[in-house]
Amino acid sequence: MIGNQSILAAQEESEEDLLAKAQAQMNAEVLSKPFLAEKPEEVDAYIKSMLEKKVKPPEYQGTYWRPGYTCRDLLRYNWTQYRNCKYYYRYYGRYYY
């Protein structure tokens, strides 16, 4: 009985070690990616200035847009594309095709 308990304890420790290593790796991956905040004040100022200049927003030229996306989906890739998407949406009232 004592032998089984020590084997179980060793297995639990190794599982805990594996979980800790997996968590550390996942944390490193998450922290290695840049964090892009929405910055609504900057986006609103940009949109206002472009509307005052009467500049039409261009169609999407990037590689990240997918059907069903919203502008927020672009934020994980590029803040400028996010900002441009918000302007496009405000101007046309729809998302990219």
Side-chain angles (χ1 to χ4, degrees):
M1 206 54 146
I2 294 174
N4 287 342
Q5 289 177 349
S6 61
I7 291 173
L8 287 175
Q11 286 176 343
E12 286 178 17
E13 285 179 23
S14 64
E15 286 179 22
E16 288 176 10
D17 290 342
L18 289 173
L19 287 174
K21 286 178 185 176
Q23 184 67 52
Q25 181 181 357
M26 189 167 32
N27 290 348
E29 289 175 12
V30 168
L31 293 175
S32 70
K33 295 180 182 175
F35 173 75
L36 301 171
E38 289 186 57
K39 303 178 189 175
E41 299 85 16
E42 287 184 37
V43 172
D44 289 340
Y46 171 78
I47 291 171
K48 184 178 177 182
S49 71
M50 296 303 275
L51 288 172
E52 287 172 356
K53 295 174 187 175
K54 299 183 182 189
V55 175
K56 283 188 171 184
E59 290 294 323
Y60 184 70
Q61 300 295 317
T63 58
Y64 302 115
W65 187 259
R66 303 287 182 267
Y69 268 17
T70 66
C71 297
R72 189 150 171 76
D73 291 301
L74 291 177
L75 189 57
R76 74 180 92 163
Y77 303 109
N78 185 294
W79 187 85
T80 304
Q81 289 185 19
Y82 164 77
R83 180 201 64 192
N84 293 345
C85 177
K86 295 290 278 187
Y87 177 46
Y88 186 95
Y89 185 81
R90 178 95 45 98
Y91 191 89
Y92 290 112
R94 61 176 168 79
Y95 293 112
Y96 301 119
Y97 289 118

